[in-house]
């Protein structure tokens, strides 16, 4: 079985690998680097990653698959890097904004929702 470029299986495989393998690694590296470069201690960085990782992953899971389907299916190979880098620039801006929203209402809500799920599983 070979995957032909631009086939549904080819595009789907690339999008899945990008979203479930590279996406979480990218977020972990981004938030760790941002925290350490701001002079935070490792425990502070760990708390920031706990606070920001899930909201960022959920929000990005709604955007990146569509961006990558267009990239892998319709953008000519020689322009795919440029296309991807443009959206990476937007993504880095978004993640920087998200990281600065330390105690935003929606982050507290998501954290309380996740803690509620943890309490249900403990019972």
């Amino acid at each position: 079985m070979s995957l032909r470029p631009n086939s549904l299986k080819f595009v789907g495989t690339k999008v899945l690998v990008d979203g479930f393998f590279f996406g979480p690694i990218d977020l972990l590296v981004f938030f760790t680097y941002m925290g350490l470069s701001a002079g935070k201690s490792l425990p502070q960085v760990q708390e920031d990653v706990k606070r920001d990782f899930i909201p960022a992953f959920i929000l990005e899971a709604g955007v990146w698959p569509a961006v990558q389907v267009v990239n892998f299916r319709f953008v000519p190979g020689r322009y795919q890097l440029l296309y991807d880098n443009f959206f990476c620039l937007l993504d880095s801006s978004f993640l920087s904004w998200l990281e600065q929203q330390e105690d935003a209402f929606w982050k507290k809500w998501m954290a309380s929702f996740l803690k509620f799920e943890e309490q249900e599983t403990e019972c």
Side-chain angles (χ1 to χ4, degrees), residues 21-83:
F21 182 72
F22 293 112
I25 291 171
D26 176 57
L27 290 175
L28 182 62
V29 169
F30 180 86
F31 289 126
T32 301
Y33 172 77
M34 290 297 288
L36 292 174
S37 66
K40 294 181 179 179
S41 67
L42 281 177
Q44 288 173 315
V45 170
Q46 287 175 329
E47 286 302 312
D48 289 352
V49 169
K50 283 183 196 178
R51 181 193 68 219
D52 295 338
F53 183 85
I54 297 296
F57 187 72
I58 290 170
L59 293 170
E60 288 199 347
V63 175
W64 275 106
V67 167
Q68 295 297 49
V69 164
V70 170
N71 188 29
F72 298 138
R73 179 75 173 103
F74 301 109
V75 177
R78 65 179 179 229
Y79 299 121
Q80 286 182 352
L81 184 59
L82 179 63
Y83 175 88

